[in-house]
């Protein structure tokens, strides 16, 4: 495949990969005594900017924005990254519906680095111009809006929008025509379904509830997963053992946080071989996920230090690095 449109982008990303945190840097962060020292160290490594002024959330948010700025700058085609921006887009939809229906203002809870930034999303929902939303989003927006307005059931509204987001991610993966993006999308949906099964099993939710929350994907059979969840925690692990998520079964038996960590690590493992591609979107996707992973890891360390958790407790939540 002599596709040269990615050559420049991949060269730029290669140059940036060098500054991703290695395990050694993560150890340095863990060795800091306080959250302040840790934040100081990441800022010395170029995180945040003048405006983030030593505020943890501002620094991490700025890093997310920088990552997308880089991708927007180098990517020949942004539509293949819909898979990654949809969670933010649908988060904005959920937040806007809640704001309008409950008449509360939470300006800080929107993302601006996605297709429809917070302010615009609010305007669309306030004026009920659902048709301005892309694709099948307009239908779910209207349904979720009406549901929240008439039932005041915030959880039901969340479930509707979250499921629509998963379906959109899966669709975008298929539409991208890029095997690695398709694989990433499928894994994202499967992991979300597994988490729903685990939570539903713990809280004794019905099969109908799970069906209304889970989205179809290639890696799992939803009906079998639901049956397992109704039968017990161990049955979920047993079901996973027969799928490509078998590694998650042991992590699930260990603890919820071990399972979350396994999910993220699995994503990084899937993407590592992409680093060596030259003519595809793989390295760009790999870099994006690696940055998200890195930011998540730094957040875990900072929050852990703020709350005075022992290093071991922080370490067991930490993700594998891409480098």
């Amino acid at each position: 495949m002599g596709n040269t449109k990615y050559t420049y982008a991949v060269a730029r990303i290669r140059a940036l990969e060098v500054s991703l945190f290695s395990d050694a840097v993560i150890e340095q962060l863990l060795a800091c005594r306080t959250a302040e020292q840790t934040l100081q160290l990441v800022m010395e490594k170029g995180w945040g900017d003048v405006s983030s002024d030593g505020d943890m959330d501002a620094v991490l948010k700025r890093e997310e924005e920088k990552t997308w700025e880089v991708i927007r700058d180098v990517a020949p085609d942004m539509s293949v990254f819909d898979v990654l921006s949809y969670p933010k887009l649908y988060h904005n939809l959920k937040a806007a519906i809640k704001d309008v229906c409950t008449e509360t203002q939470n300006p800080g809870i929107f993302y601006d680095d996605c297709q429809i930034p917070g302010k615009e999303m609010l305007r669309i929902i306030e004026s009920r111009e659902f048709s301005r939303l892309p694709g099948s989003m307009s239908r779910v927006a209207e349904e979720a809006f009406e549901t929240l307005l008439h039932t005041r059931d915030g959880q039901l509204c969340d479930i509707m929008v979250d499921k629509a987001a998963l379906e959109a991610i899966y669709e975008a993966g298929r539409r991208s025509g890029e095997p690695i993006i398709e694989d990433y999308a499928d894994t994202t949906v499967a992991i979300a379904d597994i988490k729903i099964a685990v939570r539903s099993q713990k809280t004794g939710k019905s099969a109908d509830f799970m069906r209304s929350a889970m989205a179809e994907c290639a890696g799992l059979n939803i009906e079998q997963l639901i049956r397992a969840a109704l039968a017990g925690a161990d049955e979920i692990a047993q079901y996973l053992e027969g799928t490509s998520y078998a590694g998650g079964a042991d992590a699930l038996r260990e603890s919820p946080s071990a399972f979350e960590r396994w999910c993220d690590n699995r994503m990084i493992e899937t993407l590592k071989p992409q680093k060596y591609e030259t003519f595809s979107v793989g390295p760009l996707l790999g870099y994006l996920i690696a940055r998200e992973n890195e930011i998540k890891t730094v957040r875990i360390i900072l929050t852990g230090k703020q709350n005075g958790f022992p290093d071991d407790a922080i370490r067991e939540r930490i993700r594998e690095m891409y480098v």
Side-chain angles (χ1 to χ4, degrees), residues 21 60 115 157 159 175-176 190 219 288 294 304 320:
F21 289 173
L60 297 177
Q115 198 181 340
C157 169
I159 288 166
R175 213 175 41 234
S176 72
L288 252 176
E294 179 179 65
E320 200 169 300

Side-chain angles (χ1 to χ4, degrees), residues 38-318:
T38 314
L39 191 60
Q40 191 56 45
L41 186 56
V42 298
M43 286 171 73
E44 279 164 20
K45 297 198 178 291
W47 279 42
D49 58 22
V50 188
S51 68
S52 40
D53 194 38
D55 167 29
M56 168 178 130
D57 288 324
V59 169
L60 297 177
K61 195 173 174 193
R62 183 67 198 111
E63 285 310 298
E64 269 182 43
E65 287 166 0
K66 283 185 199 170
T67 310
W68 280 99
E69 282 160 16
V70 165
I71 297 293
R72 267 196 290 272
D73 194 28
V74 304
D77 170 18
M78 277 306 288
S79 72
V80 292
F81 296 105
D82 284 349
V83 165
L84 279 139
S85 64
Y86 279 168
K88 291 183 175 174
L89 183 62
Y90 279 81
H91 167 90
N92 281 356
L93 174 62
K94 228 169 20 178
I97 290 175
K98 284 204 171 132
D99 265 19
V100 176
C101 285
T102 57
E103 293 168 2
T104 51
Q105 261 85 44
N106 300 303
I109 57 170
F110 290 103
Y111 289 107
D112 289 327
D113 53 346
C114 63
Q115 198 181 340
I116 303 174
K119 277 201 184 75
E120 193 187 333
M121 184 68 85
L122 256 177
R123 274 201 300 273
I124 292 173
I125 302 301
E126 272 169 346
S127 55
R128 299 182 178 36
E129 295 176 65
F130 302 113
S131 60
R132 285 178 53 197
L133 297 169
S136 56
M137 194 178 199
S138 55
R139 186 184 48 82
V140 71
E142 191 165 1
E143 281 176 15
F145 183 83
E146 293 298 329
T147 301
L148 188 58
L149 210 53
H150 296 123
T151 65
R152 294 286 169 201
D153 185 341
Q155 193 193 21
L156 186 56
C157 169
D158 283 353
I159 288 166
M160 292 168 79
V161 178
D162 288 343
K163 178 176 183 165
L166 291 175
E167 288 172 343
I169 288 167
Y170 186 67
E171 256 324 292
R174 293 200 12 216
R175 213 175 41 234
S176 72
E178 298 273 0
I180 186 65
I181 300 258
E182 215 167 317
D183 188 27
Y184 173 80
D186 197 67
T187 306
T188 303
V189 176
I191 286 171
D193 286 343
I194 295 167
K195 285 181 181 171
I196 290 166
V198 171
R199 272 203 308 273
S200 300
Q201 189 278 320
K202 274 204 182 66
T203 52
K205 293 278 193 277
S206 69
D208 283 343
F209 173 88
M210 288 187 257
R211 239 172 249 123
S212 66
M214 290 178 183
E216 297 285 344
C217 64
L220 295 172
N221 177 315
I222 289 181
E223 287 304 319
Q224 287 178 321
L225 181 59
I226 290 173
R227 272 204 297 280
L230 293 172
D234 201 55
E235 272 77 1
I236 300 177
Q238 251 168 343
Y239 167 66
L240 291 184
E241 274 167 353
T243 70
S244 57
Y245 298 91
D250 294 335
L252 200 51
R253 289 189 180 104
E254 194 187 314
S255 72
S257 69
F259 177 69
E260 294 240 349
R261 193 183 63 227
W262 177 84
C263 292
D264 287 343
N265 290 346
R266 187 199 144 111
M267 217 55 119
I268 290 288
E269 284 308 316
T270 309
L271 289 161
K272 271 185 177 168
Q274 294 298 317
K275 284 211 289 211
Y276 310 105
E277 294 278 333
T278 311
F279 303 116
S280 84
V281 70
L284 278 66
L285 180 70
Y287 178 74
L288 252 176
I289 306 295
R291 282 290 278 147
E292 280 189 356
N293 192 47
E294 179 179 65
I295 293 164
K296 195 183 279 185
T297 301
V298 170
R299 185 186 298 279
I300 289 168
I301 296 173
L302 283 167
T303 332
K305 301 263 178 211
Q306 271 177 342
N307 294 314
F309 293 154
D311 285 354
D312 290 347
I314 300 175
R315 188 175 267 109
E316 72 177 28
R317 288 189 169 84
I318 280 180

